[in-house]
């Protein structure tokens, strides 16, 4: 057994295999270390008892919403969790239809030359650093909203900037989901004499659905994790917004704003929100992976 | 090859023994204010570069810790972003920089000054429109700093406010974001480090600094110790500091670190 193993290691392929496995194991260990680090840093906050009421501080804070004044010992995280979700959903609501339209146009209508150029542009947009979007939002978009509904820095500004950031991702992933639909389905639809709109709406889109949803979920994870751009345009007031024009603070912005200065329980509470965010993003990625696998199976099936 | 290796080992051994002998006077521990710490950290890096045998350890924990650690001898040098209280005796104060915070509004705002009461009323939400302080009919956008920033602490202390009393419309992180936010909003009021505001204004950014208690918010006034919303950034030592501590403080007060002070938007004392 041992000899066989060593023999295997001596072959070129075996060595290659072993080193790849080692590197992968290293990466996994690194990721787990990060998660463990987050947990150990967040631990004091997660277990701390609320002195006034008894019971767990995290849950009482979530339920009663005492406001976010860490220096006065008040850690109401709920408005920021809601804000993160609201910003993400708003951005998806805008970017999904637009991205889907772009994807459909790329796949079915655009001339080859135009499609190439457009794809290049989308890739470029997807690669722009978020702080650039943030700077644009802060110096152009926010003043523009201010003229109409002060203070300008608001939930709406955050949603608009984020939707712009995730639009290319959704457009590119939905285009490739449409492209990976088996050719036979498309030719079959043509043979049935369906109009092009019917082909797309009734045959191609349902067939590409899981791929499109997977791409959208990945975009949602990015929206949830985005920090700089949102921090610069959202206004960062901790509150549950009543309208689109009120400022909000998302979890990531909260960490970026306060981490450098936080000590003790305040610091632990920031790590706790980081842990929460990491888990949600991992959950979303896992969903995207499941759906993507479904799409590949579907594609192979025919 | 072998010779080279022996040489290397010898050199390492020499270094180690030298370190062992001099360790007592080669280590400097500074503790205290988290406002002073980032600045001192940069100064320490530069000092270590010039004196490779010296190790400087900078820890934060608030001005009061800086005072206590210096008095008990836990730290060679303390850092404090305030003047000493009458009870805190037996220490020597070495000012290395001044932190001045100025109120800024949009350049198009016709208001030329606000009283302290007006500023408090604006920040606590009692006054919500510029017309109530003699300006245009325009709602006020209150720009506040995120919790934990030294500028916020200084501002709240000066106006005797608690952060939960402030009714902000926008919360910002650093000076640059604050300046851009006010420059993009004709109804905004905010406060930033005076150094940063003067720098941006000189480059045409559409903001305006308001005087406080009749004193113009300028680097020159801060330097002259006339501007009220300012505080010294101090290093503290006992009555007879060690030679290394003395050398480091002389370095921190020299021209060699003026650029580091300006980089953090603090003011070099005169």
């Amino acid at each position: 057994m041992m000899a066989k193993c060593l023999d295997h290691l001596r072959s070129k392929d075996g060595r290659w295999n072993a080193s790849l496995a080692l590197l992968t194991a290293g990466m996994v260990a690194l990721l787990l270390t990060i998660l463990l680090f987050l947990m150990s840093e967040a631990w004091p906050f997660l277990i701390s008892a609320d002195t006034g009421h008894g019971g767990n501080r995290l849950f009482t804070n979530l339920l009663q919403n005492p406001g976010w004044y860490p220096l006065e010992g008040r850690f109401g995280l709920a408005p920021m969790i809601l804000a993160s979700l609201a910003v993400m959903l708003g951005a998806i609501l805008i970017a999904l239809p637009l991205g889907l339209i772009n994807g459909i146009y790329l796949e079915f209508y655009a001339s080859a030359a135009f499609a190439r150029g457009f794809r290049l542009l989308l890739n470029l947009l997807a690669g722009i650093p978020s702080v650039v979007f943030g700077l644009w939002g802060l110096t152009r978009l926010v003043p523009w909203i201010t003229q109409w509904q002060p203070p300008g820095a608001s939930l709406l500004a955050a949603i608009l900037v984020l939707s712009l950031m995730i639009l290319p991702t959704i457009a590119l992933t939905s285009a490739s989901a449409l492209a990976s639909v088996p050719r036979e389905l498309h030719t079959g639809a043509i043979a049935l004499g369906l109009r092009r709109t019917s082909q797309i709406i009734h045959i191609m889109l349902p067939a590409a659905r899981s791929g499109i949803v997977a791409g959208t979920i990945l975009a949602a994870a990015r929206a949830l994790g985005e920090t700089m751009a949102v921090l610069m345009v959202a206004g960062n007031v901790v509150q549950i917004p009543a309208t689109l024009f009120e400022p909000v603070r998302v979890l990531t912005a909260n960490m970026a704003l306060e981490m450098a200065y936080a000590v003790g329980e305040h610091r632990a509470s920031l790590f706790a929100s980081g842990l929460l965010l990491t888990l949600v993003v991992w959950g979303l990625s896992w969903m995207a992976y499941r759906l993507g696998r479904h799409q590949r199976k579907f594609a192979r099936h025919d | 090859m072998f010779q080279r290796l022996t040489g290397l080992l010898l050199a390492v051994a020499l270094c180690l023994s030298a370190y062992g002998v001099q360790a007592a006077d080669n280590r400097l521990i500074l503790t205290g204010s988290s406002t002073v710490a980032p600045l001192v950290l940069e100064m320490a890096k530069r000092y270590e570069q010039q004196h490779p045998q010296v190790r400087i350890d900078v820890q934060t924990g608030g001005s009061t810790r800086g005072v206590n650690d210096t008095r008990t001898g836990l730290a060679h040098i303390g850092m404090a972003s305030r003047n000493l209280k009458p009870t805190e005796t037996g220490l020597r104060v070495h000012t290395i920089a001044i932190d001045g915070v100025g109120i800024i509004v949009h350049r198009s705002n016709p208001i030329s000054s606000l009283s302290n009461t007006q500023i408090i009323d604006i920040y606590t939400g009692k006054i919500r429109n510029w017309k109530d302080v003699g300006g245009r009919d325009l709602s006020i956008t209150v720009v506040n700093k995120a919790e934990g920033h030294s500028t916020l602490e200084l501002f709240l202390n000066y106006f005797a406010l608690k952060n939960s009393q402030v009714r902000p419309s926008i919360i910002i992180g650093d000076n640059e974001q604050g300046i851009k936010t006010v420059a993009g909003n004709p109804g905004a009021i905010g406060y930033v480090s005076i150094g940063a505001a003067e720098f941006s204004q000189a480059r045409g950014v559409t903001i305006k600094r308001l005087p406080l208690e009749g004193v113009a918010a300028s680097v020159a006034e801060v330097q002259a110790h006339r501007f009220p919303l300012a505080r010294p950034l101090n290093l503290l030592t006992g009555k007879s500091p060690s030679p290394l501590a003395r050398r480091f403080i002389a370095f921190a007060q020299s021209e060699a670190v003026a650029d580091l002070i300006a980089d953090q938007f603090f003011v070099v004392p005169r």
Side-chain angles (χ1 to χ4, degrees):
Chain A
M1 179 66 198
M2 194 67 195
K4 206 173 175 186
C5 232
L6 281 174
D7 244 21
H8 182 62
L9 268 179
R10 253 176 236 125
S11 75
K12 199 171 182 187
D13 184 50
R15 276 199 299 276
W16 178 236
N17 188 346
S19 43
L20 279 188
L22 209 68
L23 280 174
T24 314
M27 286 313 295
V28 170
L30 200 64
L31 283 175
L32 285 179
T33 317
I34 292 176
L35 195 64
L36 275 178
F37 168 74
L38 269 179
M39 279 182 178
S40 70
E41 290 284 342
W43 196 245
F45 180 72
L46 295 178
I47 57 159
S48 75
D50 196 343
T51 38
H53 312 77
N56 186 296
R57 167 170 260 166
L58 180 64
F59 288 109
T60 46
N61 272 328
L62 275 182
L63 293 178
Q64 294 169 347
N65 190 23
W68 178 261
Y69 299 103
L71 296 186
E72 295 166 32
R74 289 150 70 183
F75 298 94
L77 279 170
M80 291 184 271
I81 297 174
L82 285 177
S84 276
L85 293 176
V87 169
M88 176 191 84
L89 286 177
I92 293 287
L93 224 57
I94 295 179
L96 180 59
L98 289 176
L100 204 53
I101 288 171
N102 278 335
I104 291 171
Y105 184 76
L106 261 179
E107 260 329 280
F108 300 109
Y109 293 93
S111 70
F114 180 80
R116 237 194 337 268
F118 192 47
R119 240 178 244 276
L120 209 66
L121 185 73
L122 284 176
N123 273 314
L124 191 75
L125 272 177
I128 291 181
S130 62
V131 67
V132 175
F133 278 102
L135 212 57
W136 172 80
L138 182 60
T139 54
R140 291 285 174 274
L141 182 65
V142 169
W144 180 68
I145 300 177
T146 306
Q147 289 175 3
W148 173 36
Q149 284 281 345
S154 56
L155 180 59
L156 180 69
I159 286 175
L160 289 178
V161 167
L162 261 188
S163 56
L164 209 62
M165 286 178 58
I166 61 174
L167 179 69
T169 315
I170 294 185
L172 288 169
T173 50
S174 47
S176 66
L178 286 168
S180 71
V181 170
R183 240 190 125 60
E184 294 84 346
L185 276 182
H186 195 200
T187 44
I190 295 170
L192 282 174
L194 294 174
R195 277 176 303 141
R196 185 126 80 147
T197 41
S198 311
Q199 291 165 21
I200 293 168
I201 293 171
H202 296 292
I203 309 290
M204 300 305 284
L205 277 183
R209 195 186 61 209
S210 54
I212 294 169
V213 174
T216 308
I217 291 176
L218 278 180
R222 183 177 181 202
L224 210 54
E226 178 47 46
T227 309
M228 269 328 280
V230 179
L231 186 147
M232 291 169 95
V233 302
N236 304 318
V237 178
V238 184
Q239 60 176 358
I240 297 173
T243 69
L244 275 175
F245 302 105
E246 283 179 20
V248 295
R249 186 188 299 186
V250 299
L251 281 174
T252 48
N254 188 46
M255 283 182 268
L257 278 170
E258 298 185 355
M259 187 55 90
Y261 306 88
V263 285
E265 202 166 41
H266 181 193
R267 193 176 135 91
S269 74
L270 295 183
F271 273 104
S273 45
L275 186 66
L276 184 76
L277 209 59
T278 311
L279 293 179
V280 172
V281 169
W282 274 9
L284 284 175
S285 307
W286 178 74
M287 266 166 68
Y289 164 76
R290 287 291 299 260
L291 286 163
R293 206 171 51 168
H294 175 76
Q295 163 95 8
R296 281 195 297 281
K297 252 195 262 166
F298 184 85
R300 264 203 303 275
H301 176 69
D302 293 79
Chain B
M1 174 66 200
F2 185 70
Q3 267 179 349
R4 209 187 287 166
L5 203 70
T6 333
L8 193 75
L9 279 175
L10 219 92
V12 169
L14 268 176
C15 279
L16 283 176
S17 63
Y19 182 79
V21 171
Q22 294 187 356
D25 200 36
N26 273 348
R27 248 182 96 77
L28 206 53
I29 299 174
L30 290 89
T31 66
S33 160
S34 56
T35 312
V36 189
L39 175 62
V40 168
L41 205 61
E42 291 302 317
M43 291 177 172
K45 271 187 209 155
R46 189 170 285 179
Y47 192 80
E48 283 176 347
Q49 262 171 15
Q50 294 173 6
H51 306 85
Q53 78 282 9
V54 176
R55 283 289 160 268
I56 302 177
D57 187 12
V58 181
Q59 299 167 9
T60 58
S63 296
T64 307
R65 179 180 169 197
V67 172
N68 291 338
D69 284 0
T70 316
R71 293 172 90 183
T72 57
L74 277 176
H76 300 112
I77 302 178
M79 301 176 286
S81 53
R82 57 171 170 80
N83 288 311
L84 289 182
K85 293 171 188 163
T87 53
E88 296 168 341
T89 52
L91 293 172
R92 268 163 66 182
V93 175
H94 317 262
T95 302
I96 54 169
I98 309 173
D99 181 16
V101 173
I103 309 284
I104 56 170
V105 294
H106 193 267
R107 193 165 66 193
S108 69
N109 197 323
I111 296 282
S112 59
S113 77
L114 289 169
S115 72
N116 285 1
T117 342
Q118 283 173 327
I119 293 172
I120 291 171
D121 285 351
I122 287 173
Y123 267 86
T124 51
K126 278 188 212 116
I127 297 176
R128 291 172 181 279
N129 197 304
W130 283 110
K131 69 171 190 262
D132 296 332
V133 289
R136 287 174 297 184
D137 182 9
L138 183 68
S139 72
I140 300 177
T141 300
V142 175
V143 181
N144 198 25
K145 281 248 175 178
E147 197 125 356
H149 285 254
S150 66
T151 329
L152 169 74
E153 204 182 294
L154 180 57
F155 179 85
L156 294 177
N157 268 336
Y158 177 75
F159 289 107
L161 289 170
K162 276 206 314 187
N163 201 25
S164 47
Q165 292 173 288
V166 174
R167 295 280 163 269
S169 335
I170 294 179
I171 292 176
I172 48 116
D174 56 15
N175 287 314
E176 202 44 43
Q177 195 191 355
I179 288 168
K180 286 213 168 62
T181 301
V182 173
N185 185 333
I189 180 168
Y191 54 91
V192 292
S193 285
I194 286 178
E198 217 176 74
F199 179 74
S200 299
Q201 232 177 330
R203 296 162 95 212
V205 178
T206 53
I207 57 165
K208 176 163 96 172
R209 285 164 288 150
L210 293 185
L212 208 61
E213 296 179 19
V215 182
S218 69
V219 168
E221 295 289 348
V222 174
Q223 250 167 2
H225 298 281
R226 271 195 296 268
F227 191 73
L229 189 44
R231 60 179 168 182
L233 306 184
N234 292 329
L235 295 183
L236 311 170
T237 59
K239 288 292 180 205
S240 51
S242 74
L244 178 61
R246 239 182 269 246
R247 283 200 296 275
F248 181 71
I249 289 172
F251 176 76
Q253 290 179 320
S254 69
E255 272 301 309
V257 294
D259 59 320
L260 298 178
I261 296 174
D263 278 351
Q264 311 238 354
F265 301 115
F266 296 134
V267 175
V268 183
R270 280 284 134 79

